[in-house]
Amino acid sequence: MTAPPRKLSDHELSRVIDFLRKIRQPFDAGMPGARPDIYWNVVLELIDRYLQQRPVDLSTLIQLARASWGTGNRLVARMLEEGLIVRVPRGPHHKTTFLAPSERLIADFIDYATEIKAHLAKTFGLRSGTETDEYYFGGSYFAAHIIAPLQGGDISSAVLRNLRFLLHDDNYFVSMRNMWSDFRNDIGRKSSFDLRSLPELYGQATIALRDPATAYAVVALNMPWLGGFADAGLLAPLDEELAQAPINPLDFHPSVWGTGRWKGRQYGIPIYCTVEILTARRDLFEAADLAYPRTFDETIAAARALHRPEREQYGIAWNGARGMTIAHAFMFFMASSGGTLIEIPRKSENWLDGFDTANLRLRIDSAEGLAAIEYMRALAEVSPPGVATFDAERNLACFMAGHAAMSYVWTMRAARLEHEPSSKVKRRVAYLTPPVFKGGQVTAPVGGFLLTIPAYVPNERRQEILNAIAWMASPEAMKAHVKNGFPVAPRFSVCADPEALASSPIVSLVDRMARHHELNTWSRPPVPEYVEIERILGCEVFAAVFEGKPPKRALADAQAAAYRVIRARPAGVRPRPRDQASSPRPRTAA
């Protein structure tokens, strides 16, 4: 029998059949009055056996279809009569036959499976049309080409030549710049990308979003900055353009997509996300017969057991530097204690849509805040010398050099533990969810950046700019970054891709946490006063952890100072650059 032309590979067809079985079984098993669909089962089993080149006789087919002999025999006889099933001789000298699907049935099933694949591809974030055909069901989503160009009518060369980007100076954006420039050749130029360190980025974004003369088409914002800039009217709302853009919000984890929302409108597209996790030296834990810690107390106990200063081996490294760095650490440990800086309805993914920013209620001076500081003070006792100067880079370098048994680290940086040639801990690291205060629930903070468009950009140009952003945030581009050592992407389609999963154990860890609702975007709430609150905490928390200030007094002072900032800011006041005299400028932060 000559098989009809294939639109799907045998593997894809087999995976579609397996998928169809699995979505039907819960209905048959759980719905009152449900009965197996005999015709459905016969067709699936016939096609599956044909793909596997395993002959099937009448009795076996009826059994696989879960039909009685009489019902199954009558159905097969009718399908034989209609030309949907054909008899295939067992061999040249046998009179008995096997059953097989006819060419017509195979062709019709392939058409059906192709439609199923197309619907799933759209759900996973692909556009309709040729891109859907290239989606590979059950394997690499983009086996034909990893980095796909924008479709012909998406964006013009003239617009591409005139795009300027203001981005964070980190490895991900450098990689993205190089990919864009290499791929676009003479159209995309590296000179179009302005990369700044985090404190510099905030100041430059404040200028760029107010002054059209800067000519930036795209501005990257740290996720918690969104509220301040959106509230001041400096960002273009993107809801209308998104309806026409080649980007599917449903492919993003809801909490990550929600980081680009403010008061019910979408202002930013998540370009990457990074999650703070705990890394542990698997070899040291196994040698000491220690279980990996799940609570604050267990973490301190494990750190003490593995703290060997005389060997230059210390219990745990973390980000303790004054200013932004320690403020972030406090917010994250407070979240792991079950607390938040402000009272917020955390059960809703889009809690900021109806959030009253005019009447913020602070929770800095709280039992959870105190638990966070006490934990940080305990960590300091089993940390490397100089932890009070550790930003994210120094923290990672300490752990990568083999001088710490554990480390709190952002996943974007953790990839270097396996990929960097100088790493002394390759293949010795366990990647763990963040420990929690006793009785608490696992929660990990999400950091990262949003790509935004200045409000002054003309409406007619926003669509083309958003299409360029969509290419940068496409599954193809994100998968290429993941395979190149950047292990976290905010899209389900990328996290589920077998090649992406195989590139790093961090991908599967974060994807699992996302599906268990263990990621949070509320530990650094993007309220308009966020930057000032961060600055206050950077001083007060450091004083409590390293300079002897009583923790309760530090928390009370921080909360009082934050309330003064909130009450002093009239509605509609625009963000201003950081006070460089009072705010440190570490180059590395999430």
Side-chain angles (χ1 to χ4, degrees):
M1 180 172 65
T2 303
R6 292 297 177 85
K7 299 177 184 177
L8 286 80
S9 68
D10 286 359
H11 178 69
E12 286 183 283
L13 279 173
S14 295
R15 292 298 297 266
V16 170
I17 290 169
D18 183 59
F19 173 78
L20 293 173
R21 283 196 188 107
K22 287 178 178 176
I23 63 170
R24 178 72 196 213
Q25 286 171 357
F27 182 90
D28 290 345
M31 294 300 293
R35 298 290 184 273
D37 187 326
I38 307 304
Y39 185 81
W40 169 285
N41 291 342
V42 164
V43 170
L44 292 186
E45 298 304 332
L46 274 172
I47 300 292
D48 196 29
R49 285 294 183 116
Y50 165 74
L51 293 173
Q52 298 178 44
Q53 297 184 352
R54 294 173 60 195
V56 61
D57 57 27
L58 177 62
S59 60
T60 303
L61 180 61
I62 292 173
Q63 182 180 2
L64 291 171
R66 295 188 293 162
S68 65
W69 173 261
T71 300
N73 194 27
R74 286 192 296 273
L75 176 61
V76 170
R78 188 174 78 245
M79 293 179 73
L80 283 164
E81 183 178 345
E82 294 172 352
L84 300 176
I85 297 177
V86 296
R87 295 187 183 276
V88 180
R90 287 177 179 260
H93 304 294
H94 289 269
K95 295 183 179 181
T96 56
T97 59
F98 289 119
L99 301 176
S102 67
E103 292 185 16
R104 173 187 161 195
L105 184 62
I106 294 170
D108 287 345
F109 185 83
I110 289 173
D111 287 341
Y112 168 64
T114 301
E115 286 198 31
I116 293 293
K117 187 184 81 162
H119 286 302
L120 289 170
K122 185 176 180 182
T123 300
F124 288 149
L126 299 184
R127 294 174 284 184
S128 59
T130 57
E131 225 182 280
T132 299
D133 295 337
E134 291 162 359
Y135 165 75
Y136 190 76
F137 193 95
S140 171
Y141 291 158
F142 304 100
H145 56 269
I146 300 301
I147 303 301
L150 289 168
Q151 300 304 304
D154 281 345
I155 188 167
S156 69
S157 297
V159 171
L160 287 172
R161 289 191 183 96
N162 294 325
L163 288 184
R164 288 192 67 223
F165 300 85
L166 175 62
L167 306 174
H168 182 227
D169 187 6
D170 63 29
N171 290 344
Y172 189 94
F173 282 123
V174 168
S175 175
M176 190 179 77
R177 176 198 65 187
N178 295 342
M179 182 188 301
W180 174 272
S181 301
D182 292 344
F183 186 76
R184 285 298 170 184
N185 208 357
D186 62 321
I187 295 176
R189 298 185 299 271
K190 290 186 178 180
S191 60
S192 300
F193 293 81
D194 183 2
L195 275 62
R196 305 290 185 104
S197 66
L198 197 58
E200 293 172 337
L201 179 63
Y202 182 85
Q204 186 63 18
T206 303
I207 297 169
L209 292 170
R210 297 181 64 181
D211 183 6
T214 59
Y216 291 109
V218 179
V219 176
L221 297 182
N222 197 13
M223 288 175 176
W225 298 347
L226 182 72
F229 289 109
D231 224 37
L234 301 178
L235 303 177
L238 304 176
D239 300 273
E240 290 185 13
E241 288 77 13
L242 276 169
Q244 305 299 323
I247 189 168
N248 184 2
L250 296 178
D251 190 33
F252 290 75
H253 187 274
S255 63
V256 175
W257 183 256
T259 61
R261 291 175 64 84
W262 180 253
K263 295 184 177 178
R265 307 190 77 177
Q266 196 76 24
Y267 289 95
I269 306 301
I271 185 62
Y272 80 69
C273 65
T274 180
V275 178
E276 186 165 89
I277 59 174
L278 183 72
T279 57
R281 285 280 300 278
R282 187 169 54 245
D283 53 336
L284 297 181
F285 272 79
E286 290 175 355
D289 196 25
L290 289 172
Y292 295 127
R294 294 174 296 176
T295 67
F296 286 177
D297 288 344
E298 290 174 0
T299 304
I300 298 300
R304 285 176 179 156
L306 298 172
H307 192 59
R308 297 287 186 272
E310 69 280 3
R311 303 179 190 172
E312 293 189 45
Q313 175 186 305
Y314 305 96
I316 188 166
W318 54 287
N319 302 335
R322 184 190 295 272
M324 177 196 308
T325 303
I326 200 168
H328 289 181
F330 170 77
M331 295 179 207
F332 303 155
F333 294 144
M334 189 174 179
S336 292
S337 301
T340 58
L341 295 182
I342 57 177
E343 288 190 1
I344 55 175
R346 281 177 280 167
K347 292 183 180 180
S348 171
E349 295 287 1
N350 296 324
W351 60 271
L352 281 168
D353 285 0
F355 189 60
D356 182 10
T357 57
N359 297 290
L360 296 180
R361 297 187 62 184
L362 298 177
R363 294 285 302 157
I364 298 170
D365 186 8
S366 61
E368 295 84 3
L370 184 61
I373 285 188
E374 294 293 359
Y375 179 54
M376 296 165 81
R377 285 158 64 99
L379 289 175
E381 295 176 1
V382 284
S383 296
V387 70
T389 66
F390 274 24
D391 57 13
E393 186 63 30
R394 293 194 64 182
N395 174 11
L396 184 75
C398 175
F399 185 76
M400 193 158 50
H403 295 313
M406 293 177 286
S407 173
Y408 279 98
V409 62
W410 288 100
T411 51
M412 190 61 70
R413 295 177 177 277
R416 292 169 54 190
L417 299 175
E418 307 295 345
H419 293 286
E420 197 153 307
S422 63
S423 175
K424 296 184 178 180
V425 297
K426 288 179 185 177
R427 297 180 292 280
R428 300 179 184 179
V429 181
Y431 300 93
L432 311 169
T433 57
V436 298
F437 188 68
K438 54 187 176 184
Q441 294 184 339
V442 172
T443 184
V446 174
F449 287 86
L450 307 164
L451 295 185
T452 67
I453 300 175
Y456 54 71
V457 171
N459 290 342
E460 61 272 14
R461 195 160 180 257
R462 290 178 187 176
Q463 188 69 62
E464 290 180 308
I465 295 173
L466 186 59
N467 287 347
I469 290 175
W471 183 86
M472 290 178 162
S474 68
E476 302 98 320
M478 287 187 177
K479 179 184 171 183
H481 287 305
V482 168
K483 290 179 68 180
N484 288 332
F486 301 103
V488 179
R491 302 188 71 134
F492 285 131
S493 57
V494 180
C495 291
D497 185 272
E499 290 182 6
L501 286 169
S503 68
S504 169
I506 301 173
V507 176
S508 56
L509 169 66
V510 176
D511 187 51
R512 184 168 63 252
M513 294 176 69
R515 296 177 189 280
H516 291 169
H517 305 289
E518 293 173 346
L519 305 182
N520 81 70
T521 57
W522 41 259
S523 58
R524 295 188 301 173
V527 295
E529 296 81 9
Y530 171 80
V531 170
E532 286 85 352
I533 293 174
E534 177 189 81
R535 176 182 55 80
I536 292 164
L537 290 173
C539 295
E540 292 294 344
V541 173
F542 188 89
V545 176
F546 294 113
E547 296 179 339
K549 185 170 184 176
K552 290 185 178 181
R553 180 182 162 194
L555 292 171
D557 288 350
Q559 181 155 301
Y563 267 130
R564 286 195 294 272
V565 168
I566 292 169
R567 291 162 184 159
R569 171 177 286 191
V573 172
R574 295 183 172 187
R576 54 187 172 82
R578 293 175 184 270
D579 181 353
Q580 303 300 335
S582 58
S583 179
R585 294 164 55 90
R587 287 188 59 83
T588 52

